Amino acid sequence: MGVRISHRVDYGVRVMVALARAERDRPGVMVASDALAAQDSIPPSFLDDILRELRNADLVRSRRGTEGGWALNRPSTAITVADIIRALEGPLASVRGLRPDQLAAHGFEDTQTSLWVAVRVALRSVLEAVAVSDLASNSLPPAVVALLDEPDAWSTAYQRSS
């Protein structure tokens, strides 16, 4: 199994982008959860769980009442995709439920531990570089765009050259 992006993370990113765009277009606006659910066809009860977890991570805030709804809790430039993933699913990379830096204490060989730490670093290099504001403006940082120019970036099967 490769890196798998769950529905929870996908919906979480979509909601955060929607909130960033709402803030950009109408500063101070609170967006109703039913409007967020309808916008991306997210089951409302599933969205409520996602929003609660994002609020618990201080990424969003809510207000009750007729003028209530949801908004980002800090500027969209200060929230990364990595923040969203961590809020919804925990560490970016884990092996059998352990963080890569914890593996050596559980009997993993140094080379294997180093491999999984390097994988975590690679994930961070993209997920911590992309802010919600980037996605809201339909752009990616130059370093991430450069990865798309790699020869096999869009290939579904990787063949190692000898």
Side-chain angles (χ1 to χ4, degrees):
M1 177 175 89
V3 174
R4 195 175 62 78
I5 307 302
S6 68
H7 281 88
R8 179 180 227 71
V9 167
D10 178 44
Y11 290 154
V13 170
R14 289 180 192 202
V15 163
M16 295 296 282
V17 169
L19 292 172
R21 288 180 176 150
E23 176 64 28
R24 177 193 64 201
D25 297 343
R26 299 183 324 261
V29 71
M30 301 294 281
V31 182
S33 61
D34 57 345
L36 291 168
Q39 180 176 331
D40 283 309
S41 301
I42 303 172
S45 62
F46 193 39
L47 177 61
D48 289 342
D49 291 342
I50 291 168
L51 287 167
R52 263 192 302 282
E53 289 182 49
L54 294 171
R55 183 181 55 208
N56 290 342
D58 291 325
L59 298 179
V60 298
R61 66 183 187 282
S62 63
R63 184 172 60 212
R64 294 177 188 233
T66 57
E67 298 296 315
W70 295 87
L72 298 180
N73 201 35
R74 56 184 189 236
S76 62
T77 55
I79 303 170
T80 67
V81 173
D83 295 329
I84 299 166
I85 292 171
R86 288 183 185 114
L88 297 175
E89 302 220 330
L92 295 180
S94 65
V95 178
R96 297 186 343 204
L98 299 170
R99 293 174 189 262
D101 54 302
Q102 298 172 326
L103 296 177
H106 290 271
F108 281 72
E109 294 178 8
D110 289 343
T111 307
Q112 290 174 341
T113 298
S114 295
L115 167 67
W116 299 127
V117 170
V119 167
R120 181 178 62 187
V121 169
L123 287 170
R124 282 179 174 171
S125 73
V126 173
L127 300 174
E128 290 181 350
V130 179
V132 171
S133 60
D134 296 322
L135 298 174
S137 64
N138 291 314
S139 65
L140 293 171
V144 175
V145 172
L147 294 172
L148 300 173
D149 292 332
E150 292 286 327
D152 292 325
W154 294 94
S155 173
T156 57
Y158 179 76
Q159 292 185 344
R160 185 176 178 170
S161 55
S162 339

